[in-house]
Amino acid sequence: MAVGIPRAAESVEAGSGAAVTTVMARHPQQVAVGSPPATGPAAIPSPAAGPEPVAGPTEAGHGGTPRSAGTPHAQARVDLAAIRSNVSRLREAAGSAEVMAVVKADAYGHGAVPVARAALAGGATWLGVAGMREALALRAAGVPGRLLAWLLAPGDDWNAAVAADVELSAGADWALRAAVRAAQAVDRPALLHLEAETGLGRGGAAAGDWQALVDAAASAEAAGYVRVVGVWSHLARADEPGHPSCERQLAAFRDAAALARRAGLTPDVLHLSNSAATLTLPEAHFDLVRPGLAVYGLSPVPDLAGPTELGLRPAMTLTARLASVKRVPAGQGVSYGHRYRTTRETTLGLVPLGYADGVPRHASQAGPVLLGGRRLTVAGTVCMDQFVVDLGDAPAAPGDEAVLFGPGDRGEPGAADWARAAHSISHEIVTRIGARVPRTYDDGTAPG
């Protein structure tokens, strides 16, 4: 399957005068952005609330709440101009379909609120998250627009979500009943996307349960309790273009949509495509695509094409400054278990990031780092707070910058390089960057 029409990534560089806001990352599981979790309609501020400032620097959580310093010798720099450019590229690839930017998991570790705003500025018309509390946090931060939450469970605050115009997924009768109860409680219809299981084997109503679900949803809609605005599913192997399972899922999805229409439902949108399908499977675009990884400039088909070939630019650059530099003799064991031992007198540099910060321990002896213009590899075991690199005889000093990954402008590794070193995927590398690493946001525009 062809990979769309490649084009050069748009320039998103910002000069030394670019407006930068420094924020301290909150824990990815923290649900509030600048306020406690919403507990009802009254807890949701008006979407008309103004945007967060982009002039800085200020220390804050991702939503702007002041907080104490994290790890001052490291930072994850997020290029919001790259986010905007990536979304624009995805709009181009999507053709007539609308674009939902997926900002779940704190926008894949990049910061949900600033990324959501950048994605909307880049042309996304929808936002998507997994959990309901993620959606309510965006609403509490004043983020407007159509917003879907799909990984829901009994005990979630359905009332608050319906009151805040959060659109919700229902793939089982219990979820439909919860939506009806919420609609009755807040006196407004719940906006639902019915999820069909088409082959992923995860969420959604199985084929044998689908007819009953759409019939019940049609009855609830006729009673005024819900409005079915979407029918959706998720592809299992879109990152393997040409895999026959994609065609089977497309056929199953078309059948599910036809059954929904025969039940009297008229959804606004049908949606199936993730990042990989957005870029490689145009027949799966339907009315709306849901890119996640590609919004952040990373390739969803790394074995087929990299970010540049896809017209994307990685948005996050992870750096740290050496905390220690010392000469050691030949035969020196390095880090826990002495999995690395020096072969001659050499210089060791200590990088103050570890698995508590999201550096994968599985990348021990393999993770790449750019330091002093040279590509180096983690020497020995990645520890909780630090890892070591063997600098040889190159000059170095405490405070020198080590670049773990970025867009590649200086020859630095990418998140995909760390994914290969850790036998993982790029999604995990960026999403796991932890709470101790401050995020800095480059808006890509001159101040004033």
Side-chain angles (χ1 to χ4, degrees):
M1 186 68 64
V3 186
I5 301 176
R7 66 176 177 84
E10 296 181 16
S11 173
V12 292
E13 64 182 3
S16 59
V20 176
T21 300
T22 303
V23 301
M24 310 306 293
R26 61 174 172 78
H27 193 285
Q29 294 180 346
Q30 182 178 336
V31 298
V33 180
S35 66
T39 56
I44 308 298
S46 166
E52 63 183 7
V54 294
T58 60
E59 289 189 357
H62 288 184
T65 303
R67 53 183 292 130
S68 60
T71 304
H73 37 250
Q75 70 168 341
R77 186 181 183 94
V78 178
D79 184 348
L80 296 178
I83 298 288
R84 293 194 296 269
S85 175
N86 294 335
V87 171
S88 177
R89 164 65 182 129
L90 292 162
R91 281 196 64 193
E92 178 184 285
S96 62
E98 294 184 71
V99 172
M100 174 190 292
V102 177
V103 294
K104 64 180 181 178
D106 202 28
Y108 287 48
H110 292 66
V113 172
V115 166
R117 289 183 172 136
L120 292 172
T125 51
W126 297 63
L127 298 171
V129 294
M132 191 181 289
R133 298 177 79 183
E134 294 178 302
L136 291 172
L138 288 172
R139 286 293 193 243
V143 176
R146 298 193 75 166
L147 172 61
L148 171 64
W150 54 75
L151 187 58
L152 312 178
D156 280 331
D157 195 343
W158 291 71
N159 292 6
V162 172
D165 276 332
V166 175
E167 303 183 26
L168 304 170
S169 175
D173 57 356
W174 74 263
L176 178 60
R177 292 195 301 270
V180 168
R181 288 194 298 269
Q184 292 170 330
V186 303
D187 195 26
R188 65 190 301 176
L191 305 178
L192 293 187
H193 294 240
L194 301 183
E195 182 183 6
E197 160 55 41
T198 59
L200 180 60
R202 206 171 64 178
D209 300 321
W210 181 249
Q211 184 70 64
L213 180 64
V214 297
D215 286 343
S219 295
E221 186 170 79
Y225 295 127
V226 307
R227 188 161 72 86
V228 176
V229 296
V231 170
W232 75 288
S233 190
H234 197 58
L235 293 164
R237 304 183 76 164
D239 56 347
E240 303 173 61
H243 194 277
S245 68
C246 294
E247 287 301 323
R248 290 195 295 269
Q249 284 197 257
L250 272 166
F253 183 65
R254 291 187 182 104
D255 289 345
L259 282 174
R261 289 191 173 111
R262 282 201 290 272
L265 299 174
T266 56
D268 298 343
V269 289
L270 306 180
H271 50 109
L272 180 66
S273 290
N274 56 7
S275 288
T278 299
L279 292 164
T280 70
L281 195 64
E283 58 266 41
H285 289 172
F286 294 98
D287 306 301
L288 176 70
V289 297
R290 304 186 310 266
L293 188 70
V295 168
Y296 308 97
L298 302 174
S299 172
V301 286
D303 294 335
L304 184 64
T308 300
E309 290 78 18
L310 295 171
L312 305 172
R313 180 175 173 82
M316 181 186 287
T317 300
L318 179 64
T319 64
R321 300 205 171 268
L322 293 182
S324 172
V325 176
K326 63 183 178 183
R327 293 291 285 181
V328 299
Q332 172 70 56
V334 177
S335 195
Y336 292 124
H338 285 181
R339 297 167 65 183
Y340 182 83
R341 192 173 292 274
T342 60
T343 59
R344 60 186 178 86
E345 183 181 359
T346 189
T347 299
L348 300 179
L350 187 66
V351 180
L353 285 171
Y355 60 77
D357 305 296
V359 178
R361 194 171 185 273
H362 282 88
S364 297
Q365 299 277 72
V369 181
L370 182 73
L371 209 158
R374 296 187 303 149
R375 283 269 197 123
L376 304 172
T377 300
V378 174
T381 302
V382 173
C383 306
M384 183 180 290
D385 313 298
Q386 56 205 282
F387 65 85
V388 178
V389 289
D390 188 339
L391 301 168
D393 296 322
D400 285 356
E401 183 182 69
V403 185
L404 279 72
F405 60 79
D409 296 345
R410 295 177 283 173
E412 75 271 16
D417 295 306
W418 275 88
R420 283 188 287 270
H423 306 288
S424 184
I425 54 177
S426 297
H427 311 58
E428 183 178 10
I429 299 304
V430 292
T431 301
R432 68 189 295 165
I433 301 305
R436 298 192 304 182
V437 181
R439 272 59 166 177
T440 66
Y441 293 95
D442 188 344
D443 185 65
T445 58

Tab-separated table of all heavy atoms in Angstrom, residues 247-278:
chain	number	residue	atom	x	y	z
A	247	GLU	N	-8.697	-5.234	5.562
A	247	GLU	CA	-9.862	-5.338	4.684
A	247	GLU	C	-11.016	-6.044	5.384
A	247	GLU	O	-12.183	-5.672	5.225
A	247	GLU	CB	-9.490	-6.067	3.397
A	247	GLU	CG	-8.641	-5.245	2.435
A	247	GLU	CD	-9.327	-3.956	1.995
A	247	GLU	OE1	-10.566	-3.973	1.805
A	247	GLU	OE2	-8.637	-2.938	1.856
A	248	ARG	N	-10.698	-7.068	6.171
A	248	ARG	CA	-11.763	-7.766	6.896
A	248	ARG	C	-12.428	-6.831	7.895
A	248	ARG	O	-13.663	-6.838	8.040
A	248	ARG	CB	-11.190	-8.991	7.614
A	248	ARG	CG	-10.761	-10.112	6.675
A	248	ARG	CD	-10.550	-11.413	7.427
A	248	ARG	NE	-9.456	-11.338	8.379
A	248	ARG	CZ	-8.192	-11.650	8.098
A	248	ARG	NH1	-7.858	-12.047	6.870
A	248	ARG	NH2	-7.259	-11.580	9.020
A	249	GLN	N	-11.629	-6.023	8.577
A	249	GLN	CA	-12.212	-5.082	9.535
A	249	GLN	C	-13.014	-3.993	8.845
A	249	GLN	O	-14.058	-3.563	9.357
A	249	GLN	CB	-11.120	-4.479	10.420
A	249	GLN	CG	-10.634	-5.425	11.496
A	249	GLN	CD	-9.887	-4.694	12.602
A	249	GLN	OE1	-8.663	-4.741	12.650
A	249	GLN	NE2	-10.613	-4.018	13.476
A	250	LEU	N	-12.537	-3.537	7.703
A	250	LEU	CA	-13.306	-2.541	6.943
A	250	LEU	C	-14.677	-3.083	6.577
A	250	LEU	O	-15.700	-2.389	6.723
A	250	LEU	CB	-12.543	-2.163	5.678
A	250	LEU	CG	-11.536	-1.023	5.785
A	250	LEU	CD1	-10.632	-1.002	4.561
A	250	LEU	CD2	-12.258	0.308	5.928
A	251	ALA	N	-14.712	-4.337	6.124
A	251	ALA	CA	-15.991	-4.939	5.744
A	251	ALA	C	-16.908	-5.077	6.954
A	251	ALA	O	-18.116	-4.772	6.879
A	251	ALA	CB	-15.750	-6.302	5.097
A	252	ALA	N	-16.348	-5.508	8.086
A	252	ALA	CA	-17.158	-5.661	9.297
A	252	ALA	C	-17.670	-4.312	9.781
A	252	ALA	O	-18.814	-4.195	10.254
A	252	ALA	CB	-16.336	-6.344	10.389
A	253	PHE	N	-16.856	-3.274	9.633
A	253	PHE	CA	-17.274	-1.946	10.075
A	253	PHE	C	-18.392	-1.402	9.189
A	253	PHE	O	-19.368	-0.816	9.683
A	253	PHE	CB	-16.077	-1.002	10.075
A	253	PHE	CG	-16.392	0.377	10.590
A	253	PHE	CD1	-16.773	0.569	11.910
A	253	PHE	CD2	-16.305	1.483	9.760
A	253	PHE	CE1	-17.072	1.836	12.392
A	253	PHE	CE2	-16.592	2.746	10.235
A	253	PHE	CZ	-16.982	2.925	11.557
A	254	ARG	N	-18.272	-1.613	7.891
A	254	ARG	CA	-19.334	-1.161	6.995
A	254	ARG	C	-20.646	-1.868	7.328
A	254	ARG	O	-21.726	-1.253	7.309
A	254	ARG	CB	-18.933	-1.411	5.542
A	254	ARG	CG	-17.789	-0.524	5.052
A	254	ARG	CD	-17.567	-0.707	3.555
A	254	ARG	NE	-16.443	0.093	3.084
A	254	ARG	CZ	-15.239	-0.399	2.785
A	254	ARG	NH1	-15.017	-1.703	2.897
A	254	ARG	NH2	-14.270	0.389	2.364
A	255	ASP	N	-20.570	-3.154	7.630
A	255	ASP	CA	-21.773	-3.890	8.004
A	255	ASP	C	-22.387	-3.332	9.291
A	255	ASP	O	-23.612	-3.179	9.394
A	255	ASP	CB	-21.451	-5.379	8.201
A	255	ASP	CG	-21.155	-6.099	6.886
A	255	ASP	OD1	-21.468	-5.537	5.816
A	255	ASP	OD2	-20.586	-7.207	6.943
A	256	ALA	N	-21.541	-3.027	10.273
A	256	ALA	CA	-22.039	-2.482	11.540
A	256	ALA	C	-22.703	-1.137	11.329
A	256	ALA	O	-23.774	-0.847	11.904
A	256	ALA	CB	-20.888	-2.364	12.542
A	257	ALA	N	-22.105	-0.289	10.493
A	257	ALA	CA	-22.693	1.024	10.218
A	257	ALA	C	-24.034	0.870	9.500
A	257	ALA	O	-25.003	1.601	9.783
A	257	ALA	CB	-21.737	1.864	9.378
A	258	ALA	N	-24.122	-0.087	8.577
A	258	ALA	CA	-25.383	-0.305	7.861
A	258	ALA	C	-26.482	-0.769	8.811
A	258	ALA	O	-27.636	-0.322	8.701
A	258	ALA	CB	-25.161	-1.327	6.751
A	259	LEU	N	-26.137	-1.648	9.758
A	259	LEU	CA	-27.130	-2.097	10.741
A	259	LEU	C	-27.607	-0.935	11.600
A	259	LEU	O	-28.795	-0.838	11.935
A	259	LEU	CB	-26.540	-3.205	11.616
A	259	LEU	CG	-26.478	-4.600	11.008
A	259	LEU	CD1	-25.728	-5.550	11.938
A	259	LEU	CD2	-27.886	-5.134	10.741
A	260	ALA	N	-26.680	-0.061	11.991
A	260	ALA	CA	-27.063	1.102	12.795
A	260	ALA	C	-28.043	1.986	12.030
A	260	ALA	O	-29.034	2.479	12.589
A	260	ALA	CB	-25.819	1.889	13.195
A	261	ARG	N	-27.785	2.191	10.759
A	261	ARG	CA	-28.687	3.023	9.963
A	261	ARG	C	-30.046	2.353	9.778
A	261	ARG	O	-31.080	3.022	9.814
A	261	ARG	CB	-28.030	3.342	8.625
A	261	ARG	CG	-26.849	4.311	8.743
A	261	ARG	CD	-26.401	4.812	7.382
A	261	ARG	NE	-25.392	5.849	7.515
A	261	ARG	CZ	-24.102	5.701	7.172
A	261	ARG	NH1	-23.681	4.542	6.682
A	261	ARG	NH2	-23.249	6.691	7.318
A	262	ARG	N	-30.045	1.039	9.602
A	262	ARG	CA	-31.326	0.343	9.448
A	262	ARG	C	-32.148	0.397	10.733
A	262	ARG	O	-33.380	0.319	10.696
A	262	ARG	CB	-31.089	-1.108	9.029
A	262	ARG	CG	-30.754	-1.251	7.558
A	262	ARG	CD	-31.021	-2.655	7.044
A	262	ARG	NE	-30.078	-3.626	7.573
A	262	ARG	CZ	-28.902	-3.911	7.023
A	262	ARG	NH1	-28.518	-3.272	5.923
A	262	ARG	NH2	-28.124	-4.825	7.547
A	263	ALA	N	-31.454	0.573	11.868
A	263	ALA	CA	-32.163	0.716	13.143
A	263	ALA	C	-32.726	2.115	13.326
A	263	ALA	O	-33.395	2.403	14.328
A	263	ALA	CB	-31.226	0.373	14.300
A	264	GLY	N	-32.452	3.014	12.374
A	264	GLY	CA	-32.976	4.369	12.433
A	264	GLY	C	-31.996	5.405	12.936
A	264	GLY	O	-32.365	6.572	13.114
A	265	LEU	N	-30.744	5.011	13.151
A	265	LEU	CA	-29.736	5.957	13.643
A	265	LEU	C	-29.092	6.689	12.476
A	265	LEU	O	-28.881	6.112	11.399
A	265	LEU	CB	-28.670	5.214	14.445
A	265	LEU	CG	-29.176	4.476	15.692
A	265	LEU	CD1	-28.058	3.655	16.328
A	265	LEU	CD2	-29.754	5.463	16.711
A	266	THR	N	-28.772	7.958	12.699
A	266	THR	CA	-28.129	8.778	11.664
A	266	THR	C	-26.913	9.484	12.258
A	266	THR	O	-26.949	10.687	12.519
A	266	THR	CB	-29.111	9.808	11.092
A	266	THR	OG1	-29.636	10.605	12.174
A	266	THR	CG2	-30.255	9.121	10.364
A	267	PRO	N	-25.835	8.750	12.508
A	267	PRO	CA	-24.664	9.346	13.149
A	267	PRO	C	-24.020	10.427	12.286
A	267	PRO	O	-24.026	10.355	11.053
A	267	PRO	CB	-23.714	8.161	13.338
A	267	PRO	CG	-24.152	7.153	12.331
A	267	PRO	CD	-25.632	7.317	12.208
A	268	ASP	N	-23.449	11.423	12.968
A	268	ASP	CA	-22.722	12.481	12.255
A	268	ASP	C	-21.482	11.921	11.566
A	268	ASP	O	-21.128	12.355	10.468
A	268	ASP	CB	-22.255	13.569	13.235
A	268	ASP	CG	-23.388	14.277	13.935
A	268	ASP	OD1	-24.537	14.175	13.453
A	268	ASP	OD2	-23.130	14.933	14.970
A	269	VAL	N	-20.777	11.010	12.263
A	269	VAL	CA	-19.478	10.539	11.772
A	269	VAL	C	-19.333	9.038	11.968
A	269	VAL	O	-19.759	8.475	12.974
A	269	VAL	CB	-18.305	11.259	12.474
A	269	VAL	CG1	-18.206	12.710	12.039
A	269	VAL	CG2	-18.405	11.153	13.990
A	270	LEU	N	-18.678	8.408	10.983
A	270	LEU	CA	-18.151	7.059	11.115
A	270	LEU	C	-16.637	7.202	11.208
A	270	LEU	O	-16.039	7.958	10.427
A	270	LEU	CB	-18.509	6.202	9.896
A	270	LEU	CG	-19.985	6.109	9.508
A	270	LEU	CD1	-20.140	5.222	8.270
A	270	LEU	CD2	-20.829	5.584	10.661
A	271	HIS	N	-16.002	6.488	12.149
A	271	HIS	CA	-14.546	6.637	12.263
A	271	HIS	C	-13.877	5.338	12.679
A	271	HIS	O	-14.360	4.611	13.535
A	271	HIS	CB	-14.169	7.796	13.182
A	271	HIS	CG	-14.819	7.851	14.523
A	271	HIS	ND1	-14.136	7.598	15.695
A	271	HIS	CD2	-16.087	8.171	14.896
A	271	HIS	CE1	-14.955	7.769	16.725
A	271	HIS	NE2	-16.144	8.111	16.271
A	272	LEU	N	-12.721	5.091	12.033
A	272	LEU	CA	-11.995	3.836	12.185
A	272	LEU	C	-10.483	4.026	12.212
A	272	LEU	O	-9.772	3.242	12.826
A	272	LEU	CB	-12.382	2.911	11.014
A	272	LEU	CG	-11.754	1.530	10.940
A	272	LEU	CD1	-12.209	0.666	12.116
A	272	LEU	CD2	-12.134	0.848	9.617
A	273	SER	N	-9.974	5.083	11.572
A	273	SER	CA	-8.544	5.206	11.295
A	273	SER	C	-7.742	5.781	12.449
A	273	SER	O	-8.085	6.835	12.997
A	273	SER	CB	-8.324	6.098	10.065
A	273	SER	OG	-8.752	5.458	8.899
A	274	ASN	N	-6.626	5.124	12.769
A	274	ASN	CA	-5.607	5.669	13.654
A	274	ASN	C	-4.555	6.388	12.796
A	274	ASN	O	-4.780	6.653	11.611
A	274	ASN	CB	-5.000	4.552	14.501
A	274	ASN	CG	-4.422	3.421	13.648
A	274	ASN	OD1	-4.352	3.505	12.423
A	274	ASN	ND2	-4.005	2.355	14.307
A	275	SER	N	-3.381	6.678	13.375
A	275	SER	CA	-2.342	7.386	12.614
A	275	SER	C	-1.927	6.611	11.373
A	275	SER	O	-1.816	7.167	10.274
A	275	SER	CB	-1.107	7.621	13.496
A	275	SER	OG	-1.333	8.603	14.461
A	276	ALA	N	-1.664	5.316	11.540
A	276	ALA	CA	-1.180	4.521	10.409
A	276	ALA	C	-2.201	4.501	9.277
A	276	ALA	O	-1.852	4.678	8.102
A	276	ALA	CB	-0.854	3.104	10.875
A	277	ALA	N	-3.467	4.282	9.601
A	277	ALA	CA	-4.492	4.245	8.561
A	277	ALA	C	-4.722	5.620	7.945
A	277	ALA	O	-5.015	5.733	6.752
A	277	ALA	CB	-5.799	3.702	9.127
A	278	THR	N	-4.578	6.673	8.743
A	278	THR	CA	-4.713	8.023	8.192
A	278	THR	C	-3.713	8.249	7.072
A	278	THR	O	-4.030	8.862	6.045
A	278	THR	CB	-4.512	9.070	9.302
A	278	THR	OG1	-5.512	8.892	10.310
A	278	THR	CG2	-4.607	10.484	8.744
